[in-house]
Amino acid sequence: PSLKQWSPMTRSLTRSPTRTDGPALEHRRLGLAGPVLLCAALFMAATVLDPPSLRLAGSGMEDRLRGMREDVARAGEGVSNCVDRLRGAFGCLGQELRTKVENLSPTKLKAVDDSVLKARSTAREGDQLLKKRTVNSCTTAARRFKEAAELDPSDPNHLRNAAESLNAVMRIQTNANAICFDGTNDTPVHRRIWRTYGDESERLAAKALAKKPKDPEFLATYTDSFIFSCSHKGLVKQALTGAGSKYQKLAKKLQENPKIDSGVGYALLGCFHQEAPWPLYSMEKAKTNMDLAISKGGPSRRNLYYAGVVAYKREEFDDAAKYFKRAAVAPCGSPKERDFGAWMQSESKRGLSEATRRAELTEKLMKNS
């Protein structure tokens, strides 16, 4: 290539405003380009190949290499420590997994499977007995469910069903300790029944609820068990104690799920305010909760009967008669209601007759006055 392509300086020095070709111009270009290139080469050599600069550059490189070696060494120590920790962690994990695998040996697995299968079979027997809803069948069902719980402790349904079976026994024999318009179910005979089954039912229900604390059905079973366990000590007398406070908390918790047992949370709280001593006694709160039980839980026999009782005790006899009349023909909202459904039907008919009589008497007194 020509010098024009390599050096812009040579192009500016050799450019002529008058002549652009010829032998003389070519000689002049070569004569000027040589010295310029030589000077440039000497300048670059003096700058790049200067011995002090080389020594300084070499010293800097050595410092950098030394620093890099130290960083690598420190990183190596950290990685080594990390590896040691991971090795220890995975060693423990490996030992744990090895133990679990050993526990899952075919012999042990077969024993577990046999227990679970036997528990399920026993629980099915309990289910069939519980559906009959008699004192004898429910008592036997409770035994079956307790046996199933012993065979398979991992299933909380066995515990809950055992408690539910005992609750059914108490409901059937004591009319669920329901409130009455002119009497009480808190009798010595009933207290003996609650004492016999109540504490055991609460213990079973508490263990079941501990395993499924957010299940509303488990909460409903425990609430019934707790009430029955307190009833043999006199539920009304305990209203002002810690038992009364717990009763209210459980009822309010059930109100968060009004579909459970036809709004049982409202029915329970209404009964509490109707029967509790002062200052917890409140006819207005009792009426409000019974109205909510009907509106949110539905017009079941229990809800209508309780509304009739509250209206009767408020001496609103016309309203009481209307509620009792509906309750006498209304269906039960759940198997729990059916446990004392016949008693409620009988009481509703009696309440209808008594409320009608009192309403007529009140009307005559008002006319005479």
Side-chain angles (χ1 to χ4, degrees):
S2 66
L3 292 174
K4 292 181 182 180
Q5 296 172 320
W6 291 104
S7 175
M9 186 180 294
T10 58
R11 289 200 300 272
S12 63
L13 291 173
T14 58
R15 185 178 298 115
S16 172
T18 55
R19 296 183 63 182
T20 58
D21 55 5
L25 181 59
E26 195 67 31
H27 286 294
R28 189 164 55 183
R29 287 176 180 173
L30 293 173
L32 290 173
V36 171
L37 291 174
L38 179 60
C39 290
L42 291 174
F43 176 77
M44 292 175 63
T47 301
V48 177
L49 301 178
D50 180 46
S53 297
L54 288 174
R55 286 194 298 272
L56 289 174
S59 176
M61 287 297 293
E62 290 178 0
D63 292 340
R64 290 184 181 180
L65 289 173
R66 189 181 301 109
M68 290 174 67
R69 284 194 296 270
E70 292 174 357
D71 291 342
V72 170
R74 284 193 295 270
E77 292 177 0
V79 171
S80 177
N81 294 334
C82 183
V83 169
D84 290 339
R85 288 195 296 270
L86 287 173
R87 186 181 294 112
F90 279 106
C92 295
L93 179 60
Q95 181 62 37
E96 182 179 353
L97 290 174
R98 189 180 301 109
T99 302
K100 289 184 177 182
V101 169
E102 290 173 354
N103 290 334
L104 294 177
S105 62
T107 304
K108 292 185 177 181
L109 280 174
K110 186 177 185 303
V112 171
D113 289 342
D114 289 345
S115 296
V116 171
L117 291 175
K118 189 173 182 180
R120 291 176 181 174
S121 177
T122 305
R124 282 194 293 269
E125 293 179 18
D127 287 331
Q128 295 301 317
L129 290 165
L130 183 58
K131 288 178 181 178
K132 295 180 180 180
R133 309 304 282 198
T134 66
V135 173
N136 290 334
S137 69
C138 291
T139 303
T140 306
R143 288 199 296 268
R144 293 290 181 271
F145 287 124
K146 286 189 287 185
E147 291 171 5
E150 292 176 358
L151 290 167
D152 183 13
S154 65
D155 191 345
N157 289 290
H158 303 322
L159 293 169
R160 173 184 173 259
N161 290 333
E164 193 58 61
S165 299
L166 295 177
N167 291 345
V169 170
M170 290 183 280
R171 282 194 212 95
I172 294 169
Q173 294 188 94
T174 66
N175 306 319
N177 197 15
I179 60 175
C180 305
F181 70 89
D182 66 347
T184 180
N185 274 306
D186 190 2
T187 65
V189 174
H190 289 176
R191 286 194 179 192
R192 283 197 296 270
I193 295 171
W194 296 325
R195 186 181 299 109
T196 301
Y197 301 106
D199 290 341
E200 182 183 9
S201 176
E202 185 191 11
R203 178 182 62 81
L204 294 168
K207 290 176 66 176
L209 184 62
K211 294 184 177 182
K212 297 188 73 172
K214 296 183 179 180
D215 192 310
E217 293 287 355
F218 279 64
L219 177 64
T221 299
Y222 176 75
T223 301
D224 287 345
S225 299
F226 171 76
I227 292 173
F228 285 131
S229 71
C230 294
S231 294
H232 76 86
K233 304 171 187 176
L235 188 59
V236 174
K237 293 181 180 178
Q238 295 186 80
L240 299 177
T241 66
S245 299
K246 187 173 182 179
Y247 181 113
Q248 294 180 78
K249 289 180 181 178
L250 291 170
K252 290 177 180 178
K253 190 69 175 177
L254 285 173
Q255 290 178 357
E256 298 175 5
N257 296 274
K259 293 184 179 180
I260 298 296
D261 194 13
S262 304
V264 67
Y266 296 102
L268 290 174
L269 201 57
C271 291
F272 179 85
H273 288 296
Q274 179 61 54
E275 299 297 312
W278 186 89
L280 296 176
Y281 169 75
S282 173
M283 296 178 67
E284 291 302 321
K285 289 182 179 180
K287 183 180 186 302
T288 298
N289 278 281
M290 293 312 178
D291 290 343
L292 288 171
I294 294 173
S295 63
K296 294 191 175 185
S300 69
R301 183 178 301 177
R302 181 202 62 207
N303 292 345
L304 292 168
Y305 167 75
Y306 281 166
V309 171
V310 171
Y312 186 92
K313 292 196 172 186
R314 288 169 60 91
E315 297 186 354
E316 297 172 351
F317 300 116
D318 287 332
D319 289 341
K322 292 176 182 177
Y323 283 125
F324 284 137
K325 185 177 181 179
R326 294 174 63 189
V329 296
C332 293
S334 67
K336 296 180 181 182
E337 284 192 33
R338 287 194 290 273
D339 288 338
F340 62 115
W343 177 86
M344 285 191 293
Q345 187 176 49
S346 175
E347 285 293 290
S348 295
K349 291 177 180 179
R350 195 168 68 86
L352 172 60
S353 176
E354 186 64 20
T356 302
R357 185 185 69 81
R358 294 288 298 273
E360 291 174 352
L361 180 60
T362 302
E363 185 177 359
K364 287 179 180 180
L365 290 174
M366 290 181 65
K367 286 182 179 180
N368 293 333
S369 63

